[in-house]
Amino acid sequence: MSAIATVDCDVLVVGAGPAGLAAAGAAARAGAGVVVLDDNAGPGGQIWRGAGAGVAAPDARAAAPWLDALEHPRVQPLAGARLFAQPAPGLALAETPAGPLAVRHVRAVLCPGARELFLPFPGWTLPGVAGAGGLSALVKSGTPVAGQRVVVAGSGPLLFAVARELKRHGARVLLIAEQAPRGRVARFAAGLWRWPAKLADALAHRAALAGVPYRTGSWPVEALGGEALAAVRVSDGRRVREIPCDRLACGFGLVPNAEPARLFGCAIAAGGAVATGARQETSVPGVFAAGEAAGIAGLEAALAEGAIAGLAAAGAGEIPAGPRRARERARAFGAAIARAFALRDDLRALARPETVVCRCEDVTRGALADQPGWRAAKLHTRCGMGPCQGRVCGPAAEFLFGWGAESVRPPAFPVRLESLAAAGEVPPGGTEGP
Amino acid sequence: MSARVTLSVDGRAVAVAAGASVAAAIEAAGVAVFRHSVTGTARAPLCGMGICQECRVTIDGEPHRLACQTACAEGMRVETAAAGGSRGVGR
Ligand SMILES: Cc1cc2nc3c(=O)[nH]c(=O)nc-3n(C[C@H](O)[C@H](O)[C@H](O)COP(=O)(O)OP(=O)(O)OC[C@H]3O[C@@H](n4cnc5c(N)ncnc54)[C@H](O)[C@@H]3O)c2cc1C
Ligand code: FES
């Protein structure tokens, strides 16, 4: 039996997005030794993806002071390292390019962020159809879109950030289709003065997107094409328009990545986010959660929650009022987004009986229609049993059929066999004080 | 900043910016279909962030690698569905 590479730390931080960076910095400055795991090749998470590598530019300046956390002498960043199991308290297993790695820790801060909500509609599996944040992430990593015609669709303020990113890389953004009705979006915009940073963002987006039509009360009903996308059909409830395009970037909001917290045994709140308290503590002693995994509220909330969690995990007594206030303000913004961009019922009717819902196993809506729930669907149709382990079709099925999610079993992510073998032969875990 | 790496996609050489993902290199090589699903339909990246597994390709002989989360390296060999990489394998 080969011994597994092992590192020890006071605080394990999972995720090097804004929340994880803030947590790592705060914990290290408070005296803790920190290991930061992230499954991407570089730090930054979603919004600051590539900021360190020079691929993405405009956000790099905002990201720089936070990325500095990784330079702290007490912080050890590990890129390309994906947490996949927690065989015992105080012991986490990650898959890295160099093989499996055991991280013994006293406390953990989970900051794995969020993913997009994808809803099935005819043609959504065609190459050329990607997520909204998804295409933005791909472009930030170098995927070429210059000169291409792109329709951006779905819901939420993220669509603006995405359209802007695409335009900056030379794409022709033909339309931004927002499913939320005009009245709700207008009320949301009118209330933005309460978050000056968000108002400034919104104005900057508007200026950068001058000439790009933004249509509320509009949603994609079908993507057309043979082996690749050729056009998208967009409805406003009365009329359907067909728009020839090279790409469709479509996402219907964000879903917390709760899997790492489930691995640690943490309670999940209604709505799917990790349940946290005033110090960002979860239901498991010594385990904290921050950022969008703990509730969808954007960048400022992720930074404030990360700082609080980092301090708490390092054993700080009192949490300063600054980050606590910032967290409250940012969470109010998250709540305003949830209200304004709630999804319309029409979206439940997009998938036809022959439309694939589970992309890994090609399970259609028709095959799922008779199933009483998620567990039965998995058993009888293999829905959610493929490599993504239900992380795409699970939230979609929840929206379509009202099925609840369920607990994960390790590995929560696809791993190589050698990593799985490692789970059985790891050294005993660290200790956890109450 | 403008350093470039050269790799091969389905046998064809492509040069991309250092730091670019394998997914970016595949599209830069003009390949739109990354893999085929269990029933044989064409697929390409959906999430861009390591969730959906639709971007799986063969990298340096190892199948089922995520193109969206793998950075390009000099001399890397990438095979998509067109070259039989990750073809028809769902799990
Ligand atoms: C695809 C996408 C694109 C987005 N683009 C923008 C944008 O352009 N502008 C904007 O304002 N907001 C954007 N958002 C919203 C964004 O989520 C928040 O603004 C902010 O980045 C949240 O910070 P976070 O630290 O909570 O999470 P994230 O930034 O998501 O960071 C979480 C990190 O944890 C890593 N991780 C997850 N699971 C594991 C694991 N098991 N092991 C190791 N590492 C793991 C992830 O790879 C990621 O790097 C986007 C969201 C998504 C899903
Ligand atoms: S595009 Fe979804 S995992 Fe790579």
Side-chain angles (χ1 to χ4, degrees):
Chain A
M1 248 197 254
S2 58
I4 300 172
T6 303
V7 292
D8 288 275
C9 60
D10 302 314
V11 176
L12 162 66
V13 175
V14 178
L21 292 170
R29 284 190 297 273
V34 181
V35 165
V36 186
L37 298 181
D38 194 287
D39 54 1
N40 281 310
Q46 297 310 331
I47 181 164
W48 294 333
R49 178 182 292 275
V55 178
D59 298 330
R61 204 147 18 104
W66 301 95
L67 288 168
D68 278 351
L70 301 179
E71 309 294 327
H72 193 286
R74 278 191 293 275
V75 174
Q76 184 183 358
L78 296 171
R82 184 192 294 263
L83 169 89
F84 72 92
Q86 197 237 17
L91 181 64
L93 290 182
E95 182 169 66
T96 79
L101 175 78
V103 185
R104 283 193 296 223
H105 55 275
V106 183
R107 298 204 173 87
V109 185
L110 307 177
C111 310
R115 58 180 176 265
E116 279 184 280
L117 173 62
F118 300 112
L119 297 178
F121 51 87
W124 76 302
T125 60
L126 281 174
V129 181
L135 184 56
S136 166
L138 290 163
V139 166
K140 284 179 186 179
S141 305
T143 291
V145 288
Q148 297 177 6
R149 302 159 302 168
V150 187
V151 171
V152 177
S155 201
L158 181 59
L159 301 187
F160 288 109
V162 169
R164 193 175 168 190
E165 185 73 15
L166 296 174
K167 201 174 164 204
R168 193 172 73 80
H169 283 88
R172 279 174 53 206
V173 181
L174 303 181
L175 168 70
I176 304 174
E178 164 61 59
Q179 61 84 36
R182 177 147 172 227
R184 273 202 268 125
V185 176
R187 268 195 302 283
F188 173 76
L192 270 181
W193 58 269
R194 282 178 286 165
W195 302 280
K198 294 298 177 189
L199 180 60
D201 278 355
L203 293 174
H205 288 331
R206 230 180 81 173
L209 292 168
V212 175
Y214 178 69
R215 228 167 266 136
T216 50
S218 296
W219 61 93
V221 293
E222 185 168 14
L224 305 169
E227 275 260 293
L229 181 70
V232 54
R233 301 176 68 227
V234 176
S235 170
D236 62 6
R238 295 180 304 272
R239 219 163 53 95
V240 174
R241 281 206 313 153
E242 193 170 308
I243 307 170
C245 58
D246 304 302
R247 291 187 194 264
L248 168 61
C250 182
F252 289 94
L254 301 179
V255 187
N257 283 328
E259 289 78 8
R262 287 184 199 267
L263 275 183
F264 278 70
C266 305
I268 307 298
V274 186
T276 54
R279 295 165 67 80
Q280 298 299 131
E281 75 277 13
T282 68
S283 63
V284 175
V287 180
F288 301 78
E292 300 219 290
I296 306 300
L299 173 65
E300 285 77 13
L303 291 171
E305 292 177 1
I308 292 169
L311 281 173
E318 194 61 4
I319 303 295
R324 279 192 282 128
R325 265 202 304 272
R327 179 176 63 184
E328 292 327 306
R329 248 197 330 269
R331 282 183 178 169
F333 177 70
I337 287 188
R339 278 193 304 275
F341 298 97
L343 297 182
R344 61 174 61 236
D345 283 334
D346 304 82
L347 302 174
R348 288 195 179 84
L350 296 182
R352 299 182 190 136
E354 69 276 15
T355 304
V356 161
V357 174
C358 167
R359 300 171 63 119
C360 294
E361 299 287 339
D362 283 352
V363 182
T364 60
R365 180 186 193 138
L368 291 171
D370 305 330
Q371 301 298 329
W374 181 240
R375 191 177 294 271
K378 286 176 86 166
L379 215 60
H380 298 301
T381 69
R382 292 200 53 82
C383 183
M385 300 287 279
C388 97
Q389 287 161 315
R391 286 186 291 167
V392 174
C393 62
E398 197 174 329
F399 178 75
L400 290 179
F401 308 118
W403 296 345
E406 56 176 48
S407 65
V408 291
R409 276 173 205 289
F413 309 94
V415 289
R416 300 189 186 121
L417 277 179
E418 58 179 300
S419 305
L420 263 190
E425 47 168 280
V426 284
T431 51
E432 165 48 35
Chain B
M1 179 81 227
S2 58
R4 294 183 83 74
V5 293
T6 304
L7 64 164
S8 85
V9 173
D10 297 340
R12 188 150 17 114
V14 263
V16 295
S21 68
V22 169
I26 291 171
E27 297 226 18
V31 176
V33 178
F34 282 50
R35 56 182 291 273
H36 288 102
S37 72
V38 286
T39 62
T41 60
R43 296 291 165 83
L46 173 69
C47 74
M49 57 178 288
I51 298 279
C52 71
Q53 317 285 311
E54 291 282 31
C55 64
R56 281 171 294 154
V57 294
T58 298
I59 300 179
D60 290 336
E62 193 185 340
H64 313 312
R65 298 283 306 277
L66 296 185
C68 75
Q69 279 191 319
T70 307
C72 290
E74 189 65 37
M76 201 176 236
R77 275 182 306 108
V78 177
E79 288 159 67
T80 69
S86 295
R87 168 170 262 279
V89 188
R91 55 191 82 97

